[in-house]
């Protein structure tokens, strides 16, 4: 009988204790949890966390983490004392913009299965009598939210894990991670060495230091956050006892970056309204184990009263009961922030068996721990983790300067109303394509992703809007969907459909896979047939062992042992590198190359006169590629089109990029060529039903549910995930990614909105756009398979219902005639 692996968890806070519990529940018993502080009050963020658990989040994954945390902690107690007090949550609005955002949040809650409703000022005051209803416009009430007693939950989790064989050791400082041959072997500490097959760092804001022990960059920044307790509040006297502590909903006043919770007859107030206060580990106070108390620990810095003064006045305005109260105590508590606000989960790329689960707040702690346990025991998480995987960041995003700036910006914006397209203000211009100077000359409006500047439309095309045929004229938009958008996108889509346009595709991740084992490697990791002739291009999927879609890829065979892979991001690079053996080389070639998408019915008229190579349909068929020269510039031309028109993705070295752009743009002038941006691209790709991984499908979906069964070649032999989908077909699935057309012709939704079938919530929107070719808004959504074309549905949009209809796809050129000219 085999024994389970030896696991050492570094950090006995809420994440580490949850992980020990989840692993032992799955039968792993050789678990050791180490912490530098004494048990159970170790001195980390868990020890002082205020414990507010709001489940609703724009991310489905984060919401599911929080919901699992609520359910799990609700089932725990310590000698009869609660670990979760389900008092509910209430977020209030003092501005029309915030009230509209609360309606948007209610939509997320419905999409992700969290009960909640937007209520008026009087109902807010009934739910939370300390509120002055004259100060607010309404609120979002979520009855299943509440308070986690994090330190107490750690005790309950520890007891349960220990009863199954786990060991917890306090006052043990980690001094190093032992590893041999690229695999972890143990943990070195002040109390001796602990052998390990797996080490998981759950060290919170100390996670950077632990990661450095194996040379792993952990992109988080410790920041201090203010929290105070008032003295006795008269209106709270007699409402609670020491056991219950709280009975009113937890309260957020996000227009002033504040939150509130009861402490018996006092009030706790947290503030994000102050300046960012980054913390260096070397500056933390030394607190001995004997001196560690609830009021003194390394994660609690001295209170800076002047930073809290404006927040105190705002609190007294919202909650009149505080006008006769005083601040009793306060501290600046340390928490972890990351470049995009998400947790950090994953394995070291260099030292197998070393994992991290960092930047995890109490709200998501149990959910994250469950997913990490599933990764370790089962090899996959049932919840999609692409937004949490530490490898989601490109290298530039993990540098100290980038992490410091973006994490502090996330602190400042934590309660802001954030549009889904809203880019970072800074840092910008980190990564630009060779066409950037020309794009600026054309008045490009840039948005940003992973440091890349990406044009969304070009002001140089504004005059074309007036020239659009009546059926192409875009409707006016509501204020929200009009943000970060321009009607110029309609003109650029029109030019793509009727003439020719140039698209900068450079920011899309490109990998080179080469070596004698490259063919077998790609054949094993993807669903498509890879053993095709040189010059073939294959759209394919990478699955996980359970048949979930890990990524979708475009693989071009450039030589017998050399392939170019069009990938979705750094997660694909990390996965390929982790799977490659000595006979396979995986190289990120994105930065050294560039790509122009030349698409439209006049694309061949533009390109062919510039080249002696044959760009005819017969010579270069759809999904084929060839080396060529355009105006003397060496390129690789791939006959692909993600806008549904004739054309090519044309690749060259970055050094030739600007010259290639200039040649194509100048030659295209008589044909009416335009530069076109991502806004038009997104509209055109949805008209063709082309999926976007991470938005339209994730590891939670199989290919047949996502409408991508055509990319699976079960008969080719073994590949990752094949067994899991062996019996799955288009006919057996119970849910589908479905195309919707919006009936009123004007309402443009943006994604994550709930979809109602027969009056009840049945799914959610993944991607959406205005379909300029058709003159109607469209969306893709996950719905029951029974919702066939013609089925009437409704989409929840800012508190109202928008009628829509399930449609057959693709909406444009279903015979694929335009693309194969």
């Amino acid at each position: 009988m085999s024994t389970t692996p030896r696991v050492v968890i570094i950090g006995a806070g809420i994440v580490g204790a949850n992980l020990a519990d989840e692993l032992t529940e799955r039968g792993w018993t050789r678990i050791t949890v180490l912490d530098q502080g004494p048990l159970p009050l170790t001195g980390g963020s868990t020890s002082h966390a205020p414990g507010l658990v709001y489940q609703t989040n724009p991310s489905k994954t984060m919401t599911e983490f929080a919901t699992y945390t609520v359910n799990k902690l609700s089932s725990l107690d310590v000698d009869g004392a609660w670990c979760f007090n389900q008092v509910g949550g209430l977020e209030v609005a003092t501005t029309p913009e915030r009230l509209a955002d609360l309606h948007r949040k209610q939509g997320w809650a419905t999409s992700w299965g969290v009960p909640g409703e937007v209520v008026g000022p009087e109902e807010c005051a009934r739910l939370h009598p300390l509120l002055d209803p004259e100060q607010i416009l309404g609120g979002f009430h979520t009855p299943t939210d509440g308070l986690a007693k994090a330190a107490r939950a750690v005790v309950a989790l520890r007891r349960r894990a220990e009863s199954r064989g786990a060991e917890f050791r306090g006052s043990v400082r980690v001094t190093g991670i032992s590893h041999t041959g690229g695999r972890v072997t143990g943990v070195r500490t002040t109390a001796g060495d602990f052998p390990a097959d797996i080490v998981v760092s759950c060290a919170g804001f100390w996670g950077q230091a632990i990661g450095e022990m194996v040379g792993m960059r952990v992109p988080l920044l410790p920041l201090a956050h203010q929290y105070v307790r008032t003295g006795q509040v008269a209106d709270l006297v007699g409402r609670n006892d020491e056991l219950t502590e709280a009975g009113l909903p937890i309260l957020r006043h996000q227009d002033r970056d504040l939150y509130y919770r009861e402490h018996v007859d006092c009030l706790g107030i947290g503030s994000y309204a102050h300046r960012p206060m980054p913390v260096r580990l070397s500056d933390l106070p030394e607190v001995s184990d004997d001196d560690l108390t609830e009021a003194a620990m390394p994660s609690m810095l001295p209170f800076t009263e002047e930073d809290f003064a404006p927040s105190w006045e705002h609190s007294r305005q919202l909650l009149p009961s505080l006008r006769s109260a005083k601040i009793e105590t306060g501290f600046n508590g340390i928490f972890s922030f990351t470049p995009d606000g998400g947790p950090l989960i994953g394995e070291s790329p260099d030292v197998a068996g070393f994992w991290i689960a960092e930047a995890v707040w109490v709200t998501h702690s149990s959910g994250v721990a469950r997913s990490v346990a599933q990764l370790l025991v089962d090899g996959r998480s049932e919840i999609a983790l692409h937004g949490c995987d530490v490898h989601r960041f490109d290298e530039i995003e993990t540098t100290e300067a980038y992490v410091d700036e973006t994490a502090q910006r996330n602190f400042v914006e934590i309660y802001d109303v954030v549009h889904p397209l809203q880019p970072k203000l800074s840092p910008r211009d980190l990564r630009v394509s060779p066409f950037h100077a020309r794009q600026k000359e054309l008045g490009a409006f840039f948005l940003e992703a992973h440091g890349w500047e990406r044009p969304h439309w070009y002001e140089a095309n504004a005059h074309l809007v007036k020239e659009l045929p009546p059926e192409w004229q875009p409707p006016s938009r509501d204020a929200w969907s009009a943000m970060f958008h321009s009607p110029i996108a309609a003109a650029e889509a029109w030019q793509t459909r009727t003439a020719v346009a140039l698209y900068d595709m450079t920011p899309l991740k490109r990998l080179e896979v080469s070596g004698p084992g490259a063919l077998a490697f790609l054949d094993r990791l993807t669903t498509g047939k890879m053993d095709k002739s040189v010059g073939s291009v294959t759209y394919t999927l990478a699955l996980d062992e359970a048949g979930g879609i890990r990524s979708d890829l475009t693989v071009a065979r450039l030589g017998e042992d050399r392939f170019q892979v069009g990938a979705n991001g750094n997660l694909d690079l990390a996965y390929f590198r982790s799977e490659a053996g000595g006979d396979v080389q995986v190289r990120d070639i994105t930065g050294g190359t560039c790509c122009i998408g030349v698409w439209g019915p006049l694309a061949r008229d533009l390109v062919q006169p510039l080249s002696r190579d044959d760009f005819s349909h017969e010579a270069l068929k759809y999904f084929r590629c060839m080396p060529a020269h355009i105006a003397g510039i060496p390129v690789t031309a791939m006959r692909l089109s993600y806008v549904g028109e004739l054309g090519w993705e044309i690749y060259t070295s970055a050094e030739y990029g600007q010259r290639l752009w200039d040649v194509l743009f100048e030659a295209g002038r008589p044909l009416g060529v335009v530069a076109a941006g991502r806004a038009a691209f997104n509209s055109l790709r949805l008209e063709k039903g082309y999926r976007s991984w991470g938005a339209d499908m994730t590891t939670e979906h199989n290919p047949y549910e996502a409408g991508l069964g055509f990319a699976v070649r079960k008969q080719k032999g073994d590949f990752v995930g094949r067994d899991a989908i062996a019996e799955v077909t288009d006919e057996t699935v119970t849910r589908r990614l479905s195309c919707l057309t919006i009936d009123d012709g004007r309402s443009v939704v943006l994604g994550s909105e709930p979809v109602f079938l027969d009056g009840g919530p049945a799914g959610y929107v993944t991607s959406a756009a205005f379909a300029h070719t058709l003159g109607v808004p469209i969306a893709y959504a996950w719905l029951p398979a029974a919702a066939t074309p013609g089925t009437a549905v409704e989409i929840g949009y800012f508190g109202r219902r928008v009628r829509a209809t399930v449609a057959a796809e693709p909406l444009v050129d279903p015979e694929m005639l335009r693309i194969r000219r």
Side-chain angles (χ1 to χ4, degrees):
M1 180 172 145
S2 63
T3 57
T4 59
R6 298 167 299 179
V7 181
V8 174
I9 298 169
I10 301 171
I14 191 68
V15 181
N18 258 302
L19 180 56
D21 178 67
E22 294 287 338
L23 289 173
T24 55
E25 183 183 16
R26 288 163 173 77
W28 283 22
T29 56
R30 298 199 293 171
I31 313 294
T32 304
V33 185
L34 307 176
D35 202 292
Q36 63 184 346
L39 302 177
L41 194 69
T42 61
S45 299
T46 298
S47 303
H48 65 71
L52 282 71
V53 178
Y54 284 92
Q55 297 165 87
T56 306
N57 190 286
S59 161
K60 178 175 180 285
T61 293
M62 298 299 281
T63 300
E64 290 177 334
F65 283 161
T67 298
Y68 183 74
T69 299
V70 167
N71 294 336
K72 181 174 180 177
L73 297 191
S74 295
S75 71
L76 300 176
D77 69 87
V78 175
D79 304 326
W82 60 269
C83 293
F84 189 79
N85 186 357
Q86 201 159 44
V87 293
L90 182 63
E91 303 178 51
V92 295
T94 60
T95 64
E97 293 78 13
R98 181 68 62 182
L99 184 61
D101 193 56
L102 295 185
H103 281 286
R104 186 168 66 120
K105 284 187 174 180
Q106 195 275 333
W108 296 337
T110 303
S111 291
W112 316 142
V114 175
E117 63 175 336
V118 177
V119 297
E122 297 305 321
E123 178 63 10
C124 288
R126 187 192 70 78
L127 291 164
H128 201 298
L130 271 61
L131 279 167
D132 178 0
E134 297 297 320
Q135 298 294 320
I136 59 177
L137 302 178
F140 175 45
H141 179 229
T142 45
T144 58
D145 290 341
L147 288 167
K149 193 78 166 180
R152 187 182 292 157
V154 165
V155 174
L157 293 164
R158 174 188 167 193
R159 288 180 180 178
R160 191 158 71 181
E162 286 177 331
S163 72
R164 300 173 182 142
E167 179 186 9
F168 282 67
R169 296 279 301 271
S171 302
V172 176
R173 186 180 297 273
V174 172
T175 59
I177 309 295
S178 301
H179 50 95
T180 303
R183 174 161 289 280
V184 73
T185 58
V187 176
R188 301 190 299 275
T189 79
T190 52
D193 294 348
F194 291 82
D197 304 301
I198 296 171
V199 174
V200 187
S201 176
C202 304
F205 60 82
W206 283 286
Q208 274 185 319
I210 300 298
E212 287 172 0
M213 294 178 181
V214 296
M216 182 179 182
R217 271 190 197 165
V218 179
L220 66 80
L221 179 69
L223 285 162
H225 153 61
Q226 291 199 302
Y227 190 78
V228 305
R229 285 198 192 195
T230 70
Q232 191 178 75
V233 178
D235 289 341
L236 291 180
V237 173
R239 293 187 64 96
N240 309 303
D241 57 32
E242 293 290 337
L243 180 61
T244 60
E245 289 190 39
L248 298 178
I250 52 177
L251 179 65
R252 285 205 287 206
H253 179 21
Q254 293 178 295
D255 287 320
R256 293 298 185 181
D257 298 311
L258 293 164
Y259 64 81
Y260 308 87
R261 58 152 294 178
E262 294 168 280
H263 294 281
V264 190
D265 56 3
C266 305
L267 208 62
I269 308 173
S271 171
Y272 294 101
H274 53 83
R275 61 192 166 89
M277 303 177 189
V279 177
R280 304 300 169 193
L281 297 184
S282 57
D283 296 335
L284 293 181
E286 289 288 339
V287 181
S288 69
D289 290 358
D290 293 338
D291 295 333
L292 197 67
T293 67
E294 288 190 10
M297 56 185 70
S299 58
M300 297 172 66
L301 302 181
F303 183 60
T304 50
E305 188 174 353
E306 65 278 9
D307 289 303
F308 193 76
S311 294
W312 179 238
E313 292 308 312
H314 293 140
S315 297
R316 285 151 58 96
Q317 185 176 2
L318 182 73
L319 307 170
S321 300
L322 295 181
R323 293 169 190 169
S324 58
K326 295 181 179 180
I327 297 174
E328 195 76 21
T329 62
F331 64 92
N332 293 354
I334 305 174
F335 292 93
S336 301
F337 284 76
T338 62
D340 61 4
L344 305 173
I345 299 170
E347 186 178 17
S348 163
D350 302 312
V351 180
F354 179 84
W355 290 74
I356 67 168
E358 307 290 18
V360 181
W361 292 16
V362 172
T363 301
H364 309 109
S365 57
S366 298
V368 167
R370 177 179 63 169
S371 284
V372 173
Q374 290 173 345
L375 287 170
L376 297 178
V377 177
D378 306 321
R380 75 182 297 269
S381 162
E382 64 185 74
I383 294 175
L385 297 181
H386 58 281
C388 308
D389 194 309
V390 66
H391 302 301
R392 66 190 181 270
F393 300 110
D394 283 347
E395 184 178 7
I396 188 66
E397 299 172 280
T398 66
T399 62
E400 184 176 356
Y402 186 93
V403 173
D404 281 7
E405 180 171 352
T406 54
Q408 289 185 59
R409 173 56 53 186
N410 279 329
F411 178 93
V412 171
E413 296 177 348
I414 192 167
Y415 280 171
D416 286 3
V417 177
V418 178
H419 193 276
L421 291 177
Q422 187 167 316
K424 295 180 179 70
L425 296 176
S426 176
R428 293 296 296 268
D429 291 335
L430 288 177
R431 307 171 81 180
V432 298
S433 79
F435 324 129
H436 188 250
R438 298 296 184 254
Q439 291 165 344
K440 291 178 71 175
E441 291 169 2
L442 293 171
F445 179 84
F446 292 98
L447 297 183
E448 178 271 349
H450 293 287
W452 281 104
E453 297 296 323
R454 306 201 302 182
H456 272 241
W457 66 83
Y458 295 83
E459 289 296 330
N461 298 324
H463 69 282
L464 294 173
V465 177
K466 297 178 181 178
E467 300 174 18
L468 288 172
E471 65 271 18
W472 278 82
Q473 288 291 336
S476 59
R477 294 188 173 208
D478 67 89
W480 184 252
S481 64
M483 291 179 68
F484 306 104
H485 182 76
S486 169
I488 294 171
E492 293 174 2
W494 177 55
Q495 288 296 102
T496 308
R497 289 277 188 246
T498 61
V500 63
L502 306 184
Y503 288 82
D504 181 1
M505 306 301 287
T506 301
L508 302 184
K509 180 74 76 176
R510 289 176 293 285
L511 309 178
E512 182 185 81
V513 179
S514 61
L519 174 60
F521 171 80
L522 288 170
D523 212 42
R524 176 173 63 86
L525 296 187
T526 70
T527 62
K529 178 178 169 58
M530 293 293 110
D531 193 7
K532 298 179 181 178
S533 61
V534 172
S536 66
V537 183
T538 305
Y539 176 78
T540 188
L541 307 174
L543 306 182
D544 63 20
E545 292 289 356
I549 303 172
R550 183 188 285 272
S551 187
D552 66 335
L553 309 163
T554 303
V555 181
R557 192 170 193 179
L558 303 182
E560 288 297 323
D561 297 328
R562 185 166 67 92
F563 298 80
Q564 180 171 311
V565 179
N568 281 297
N570 211 57
L571 290 178
D572 295 323
L573 174 61
Y575 176 54
F576 276 24
R577 282 181 171 169
S578 71
E579 294 289 328
D583 60 348
V584 178
Q585 292 77 52
V586 179
R587 192 164 64 96
D588 183 354
I589 61 171
T590 311
T593 57
C594 58
C595 177
I596 301 176
V598 183
W599 292 313
L602 302 183
R604 190 173 284 117
D605 298 276
L606 169 55
V607 173
Q608 187 61 80
L610 297 174
S611 179
R612 295 181 179 179
D613 298 288
D614 190 349
F615 279 81
S616 68
H617 176 65
E618 294 72 23
L620 184 58
K621 294 185 180 297
Y622 191 51
F623 268 82
R624 297 288 298 179
C625 68
M626 69 177 184
H629 287 82
I630 293 176
I633 301 166
V635 303
T636 298
M638 294 189 192
R639 181 81 183 276
L640 308 177
S641 175
Y642 285 94
V643 298
E645 294 293 333
L646 167 69
W648 307 269
E649 292 180 358
I650 300 177
Y651 297 88
T652 191
S653 298
E655 61 194 306
Y656 303 127
Q658 184 168 294
R659 173 63 178 165
L660 178 64
W661 178 279
D662 288 346
V663 165
L664 290 169
F665 204 86
E666 188 59 34
R669 287 185 188 278
L671 304 173
V673 72
V674 298
R678 296 290 298 182
F681 178 90
N682 193 52
S683 170
L684 297 171
R685 70 103 180 161
L686 282 175
E687 291 177 347
K688 286 296 297 177
Y690 296 141
R691 277 67 166 142
S692 174
W693 185 85
D696 296 319
M697 71 277 191
T698 69
T699 53
E700 296 181 9
H701 312 105
N702 71 51
Y704 298 93
E705 294 172 325
L708 299 175
F710 67 86
V712 179
R713 296 290 182 268
K714 293 179 182 177
Q715 67 274 21
K716 78 167 186 171
D718 191 34
F719 57 86
V720 175
R722 181 179 184 271
D723 291 345
I725 60 169
E727 304 302 321
V728 182
T729 67
D730 290 328
E731 289 71 38
T732 62
V733 299
T734 59
R735 61 177 177 177
R736 284 197 180 93
L737 185 64
S738 302
C739 179
L740 308 179
T741 57
I742 295 175
D743 296 351
D744 68 11
R746 301 180 64 84
S747 298
V748 181
V749 301
L750 298 179
S752 298
E753 295 90 354
V755 181
F756 299 86
L757 178 63
D758 297 328
Y764 58 91
V765 172
T766 60
S767 296
F770 189 86
H772 298 290
T773 309
L774 303 171
V776 298
I778 60 174
Y780 273 77
W782 282 101
L783 289 173
T788 53
T791 302
V793 297
E794 292 179 309
I795 301 172
Y797 186 64
F798 285 93
R800 63 187 178 93
R801 300 282 183 93
V802 176
R803 288 182 289 109
T805 304
V806 178
E809 57 168 333
L811 295 170
V812 170
D813 191 25
E815 297 85 9
M816 300 286 285
L817 299 177
R818 301 173 68 90
I819 217 165
R820 291 192 167 101
R821 302 180 187 197

